[in-house]
Amino acid sequence: DQAHGQQGTFSPGFGCSIAAAVQASCSACPFFARHVVTTGRGDVVELIDVLYNEEKQKMYLVMEYCVCVLQEMLASAPDAKMPLFQAHKYFVQLIDGLQYLHGQGVIHNDIKPGNLLVSLDDMLKISDFGVAEKLEPFAMDDTCTKGQGKTPFG
């Protein structure tokens, strides 16, 4: 099911492309408008749709198209290194993103190059919030209770 109550249209592995799923999902329920989240720094994340898998108890967010995963970019670079200016640019964007998430009380718990996407406009996007947790606003401390992600870069 989708978050807006309509039947989901995307089944991974059944020959349906992401683009087709997004189009079908948005056209099947035209009253569901795209949602844009703007951070305090003016960075934008476009949320196109939300799908929920009742059986797996998982929520999937369909976001704007990103051209690559940072891990793939590193793997294709000479000596698996990128130029310092580019690494600095992405690092600053990562820190800004984490600062925003932490300000919202969200701890990602699995930051790694495989969970960092690069958009068409060369902006870093943090993805895969599968092991993220929301801190209680009035808790005595900021202890995370969930286990962290896989082994480093796993």
Side-chain angles (χ1 to χ4, degrees), residues 60-112:
Y60 299 91
L61 306 177
V62 180
M63 295 174 31
E64 63 194 277
Y65 177 72
C66 289
V67 292
C68 71
V69 178
L70 191 64
Q71 185 166 346
E72 294 169 2
M73 185 185 289
L74 284 169
S76 67
D79 298 323
K81 295 180 182 178
M82 63 177 59
L84 186 58
F85 76 91
Q86 190 177 25
H88 182 265
K89 176 182 177 175
Y90 291 144
F91 185 73
V92 168
Q93 291 178 22
L94 174 61
I95 296 304
D96 287 344
L98 290 173
Q99 182 179 17
Y100 175 79
L101 288 172
H102 293 172
Q104 303 299 310
V106 175
I107 307 302
H108 187 278
N109 280 331
D110 196 19
I111 294 295
K112 60 185 178 185

Side-chain angles (χ1 to χ4, degrees), residues 5 48 50 69 84 86-88 93 105 112 122 125 129 143-144:
I48 297 169
V50 179
V69 178
L84 186 58
Q86 190 177 25
H88 182 265
Q93 291 178 22
K112 60 185 178 185
D122 205 30
K125 307 287 182 170
F129 286 78
T143 303
C144 294

Side-chain angles (χ1 to χ4, degrees), residues 4-152:
H4 47 71
Q6 300 299 315
Q7 183 64 32
T9 55
F10 178 61
S11 297
F14 289 94
C16 179
S17 71
I18 298 283
V22 170
Q23 183 178 359
S25 175
C26 292
S27 62
C29 195
F31 63 84
F32 182 73
R34 292 181 176 196
H35 184 70
V36 175
V37 176
T38 306
T39 67
R41 288 183 43 97
D43 297 325
V44 173
V45 175
E46 185 178 5
L47 177 63
I48 297 169
D49 206 349
V50 179
L51 302 133
Y52 185 72
N53 183 319
E54 185 81 36
E55 183 179 314
K56 293 182 180 181
Q57 297 286 302
K58 291 208 176 226
M59 184 178 297
Y60 299 91
L61 306 177
V62 180
M63 295 174 31
E64 63 194 277
Y65 177 72
C66 289
V67 292
C68 71
V69 178
L70 191 64
Q71 185 166 346
E72 294 169 2
M73 185 185 289
L74 284 169
S76 67
D79 298 323
K81 295 180 182 178
M82 63 177 59
L84 186 58
F85 76 91
Q86 190 177 25
H88 182 265
K89 176 182 177 175
Y90 291 144
F91 185 73
V92 168
Q93 291 178 22
L94 174 61
I95 296 304
D96 287 344
L98 290 173
Q99 182 179 17
Y100 175 79
L101 288 172
H102 293 172
Q104 303 299 310
V106 175
I107 307 302
H108 187 278
N109 280 331
D110 196 19
I111 294 295
K112 60 185 178 185
N115 288 339
L116 302 174
L117 310 177
V118 180
S119 68
L120 286 169
D121 59 353
D122 205 30
M123 294 297 294
L124 197 72
K125 307 287 182 170
I126 300 170
S127 69
D128 193 354
F129 286 78
V131 293
E133 62 185 294
K134 178 96 168 109
L135 297 177
E136 293 296 323
F138 300 107
M140 296 297 283
D141 62 13
D142 289 337
T143 303
C144 294
T145 58
K146 287 187 178 180
Q148 282 65 40
K150 299 176 192 171
T151 57

